[in-house]
Amino acid sequence: MVLRALSQRRYLNGLGCSKPCPRTARSCTLSVLFLYLQISEPNEFDIMLVMPVTRIQLDESDDTGAYYYVSFKRSPKEKGWLKFLEEDGKLSAFKMLQALREIIKQEVKNIKGMEVTVARKKAGSPAITLQIKKPPLEISVDIILTLEAQQSWPCSTQAGLKIEQWLGTKKRRDFRFRSIYLVAKQNKREKVLRGNTWRLSFSHIEKDMIKNHGNSKTCCESNGPKCCRKGCLKLLKFLLEQLKRKHPKELEKFCSYHVKTAFLHSCVMWPNDTDWHLGNLDHSFQQCLGFFVDCLQKSQLTHFFIPQYNLLSQEDKARHHFLSRKISYELNNGFPVFHENY
């Protein structure tokens, strides 16, 4: 109910949309990005609340090529945007998130038949988290404020998305013609943290690549050959999840995006469907893990779309080596963590 309400015009008025138009009605919808990759029963969902913007300028906030300041090249037609601009013209992610949080808090009060609460704000998180309880169900929903701009991708992405040998040159070109998405994410590298930064997001393209993952177009179709790519990704995410439960403090900075990125790089290194034969799940999984462990030992995991952006900070080498050792132990001992309960 709350998700349906948020997609209606009257609730989006508070976030910059001031009058109906076909494009706004299409774009201001909730795009569920859950990929059915959990091994256990799914209880966590990511949802993007997409706001269309036009004629925006992107200025890099650091040298990663991932974080940007957003400003309008011209005064926006929808005057509701103006209240979210700073004095220097930057669009404030903090102000927009704050407004969205208040809208959601008011809306959840109207929900009957289940307990819905808005989780406490996490420092630097781009998500507003809903905790939904209706016994025996208990799920968590992250609502992520996202800007959509139909314009060229930033220069930092030019050498990324190297999928020519895997999915083909045409597919790469088609992807790069798609809109760019920016999520409200604070850049911790800023000298003064003001909450004005936005981070590039490629989750819509990652979803497409994982869904249509074959080197041949018939891979995993009803009448086509099956592969183990999705199985490998499920196991990678499950392994990290189990290790984080066992070592929450040491592994708190790791997330599923790390293993998803390692998986996508693995798909590029082994692009053919024959490299991922369904019967070779064990071998393929260990191959992916070997690559990830190598990245951890070097503290170097390149962002799949932004080659200059290292997802493993050099300041956290001790954490990387800790996870590397834990994964190596699991590899050498038949993955005992899969059989433990926490």
Side-chain angles (χ1 to χ4, degrees):
M1 179 178 177
V2 64
L3 304 181
R4 185 166 59 251
L6 283 171
S7 66
Q8 301 300 314
R9 297 289 312 138
R10 61 194 181 95
Y11 292 106
L12 293 172
N13 287 344
L15 288 176
C17 299
S18 60
K19 63 180 182 178
C21 70
R23 183 171 183 272
T24 302
R26 174 189 64 79
S27 299
C28 290
T29 56
L30 296 172
S31 174
V32 180
L33 297 180
F34 174 57
L35 299 178
Y36 304 101
L37 292 176
Q38 283 94 331
I39 288 182
S40 55
E41 184 174 347
N43 60 2
E44 295 183 356
F45 300 85
D46 289 343
I47 294 176
M48 299 183 83
L49 179 60
V50 180
M51 306 289 293
V53 289
T54 57
R55 304 186 194 91
I56 61 170
Q57 177 176 318
L58 301 181
D59 296 303
E60 292 187 4
S61 69
D62 63 11
D63 60 356
T64 65
Y67 289 88
Y68 291 83
Y69 298 115
V70 175
S71 56
F72 290 98
K73 293 180 178 179
R74 301 177 186 174
S75 182
K77 293 181 180 179
E78 293 86 0
K79 299 305 178 183
W81 288 106
L82 299 179
K83 60 187 174 184
F84 300 116
L85 298 181
E86 299 289 359
E87 292 182 359
D88 57 4
K90 294 185 179 70
L91 183 61
S92 173
F94 174 78
K95 289 181 179 179
M96 291 190 70
L97 275 176
Q98 197 171 40
L100 179 59
R101 176 175 283 273
E102 291 305 313
I103 292 171
I104 294 174
K105 281 184 176 180
Q106 292 301 313
E107 184 57 30
V108 298
K109 295 178 181 179
N110 302 322
I111 297 177
K112 308 297 181 183
M114 65 182 71
E115 180 186 344
V116 182
T117 57
V118 181
R120 181 174 297 184
K121 182 169 57 175
K122 297 178 183 177
S125 172
I128 298 171
T129 303
L130 299 182
Q131 302 290 349
I132 303 173
K133 297 180 181 179
K134 186 176 183 181
L137 297 176
E138 185 172 338
I139 65 173
S140 174
V141 179
D142 282 349
I143 299 175
I144 302 169
L145 178 62
T146 309
L147 304 179
E148 179 194 17
Q150 294 184 340
Q151 62 187 53
S152 299
W153 290 15
C155 294
S156 61
T157 67
Q158 189 64 44
L161 191 61
K162 303 301 291 182
I163 59 172
E164 291 89 343
Q165 299 302 314
W166 171 28
L167 299 177
T169 302
K170 182 179 183 301
K171 195 65 177 178
R172 182 181 188 273
R173 183 172 61 250
D174 292 344
F175 281 146
R176 288 186 57 83
F177 275 123
R178 292 191 184 182
S179 302
I180 58 172
Y181 283 12
L182 298 123
V183 299
K185 175 66 175 176
Q186 182 173 291
N187 183 3
K188 296 180 181 179
R189 293 190 179 189
E190 280 188 303
K191 293 181 179 179
V192 180
L193 299 179
R194 296 175 178 171
N196 290 344
T197 53
W198 299 80
R199 187 186 65 194
L200 289 174
S201 171
F202 301 92
S203 54
H204 56 309
I205 295 176
E206 291 163 357
K207 175 187 175 182
D208 195 317
M209 288 192 296
I210 293 171
K211 181 180 179 181
N212 303 293
H213 52 258
N215 182 250
S216 65
K217 294 182 179 180
T218 59
C219 183
C220 288
E221 290 188 356
S222 56
N223 297 322
K226 311 300 180 187
C227 81
C228 65
R229 287 184 180 91
K230 285 188 178 181
C232 279
L233 181 54
K234 288 181 183 180
L235 287 171
L236 288 168
K237 295 176 76 172
F238 187 61
L239 175 60
L240 180 61
E241 178 185 314
Q242 294 299 94
L243 289 174
K244 287 190 67 171
R245 288 181 181 179
K246 192 172 182 178
H247 309 283
K249 184 178 180 180
E250 295 86 349
L251 302 181
E252 63 180 346
K253 291 192 176 183
F254 291 98
C255 63
S256 62
Y257 196 71
H258 289 107
V259 293
K260 183 198 284 188
T261 300
F263 167 75
L264 292 174
H265 283 300
S266 297
C267 288
V268 169
M269 287 188 291
W270 300 287
N272 299 318
D273 296 340
T274 52
D275 297 323
W276 301 85
H277 189 274
L278 186 60
N280 293 335
L281 175 60
D282 182 62
H283 171 74
S284 297
F285 174 52
Q286 293 192 41
Q287 199 166 236
C288 289
L289 267 186
F291 170 74
F292 186 45
V293 166
D294 186 56
C295 291
L296 291 169
Q297 291 174 346
K298 296 176 181 176
S299 292
Q300 181 69 42
L301 177 60
T302 302
H303 192 287
F304 194 71
F305 297 83
I306 310 171
Q308 69 194 57
Y309 183 21
N310 179 17
L311 296 178
L312 299 177
S313 171
Q314 295 294 319
E315 299 173 358
D316 293 321
K317 284 187 176 182
R319 296 176 187 270
H320 306 156
H321 293 162
F322 179 88
L323 179 55
S324 171
R325 290 194 301 271
K326 294 303 174 183
I327 292 177
S328 296
Y329 174 83
E330 296 297 322
L331 266 169
N332 296 329
N333 292 276
F335 300 98
V337 75
F338 285 166
H339 308 291
E340 298 175 4
N341 295 317
Y342 304 102

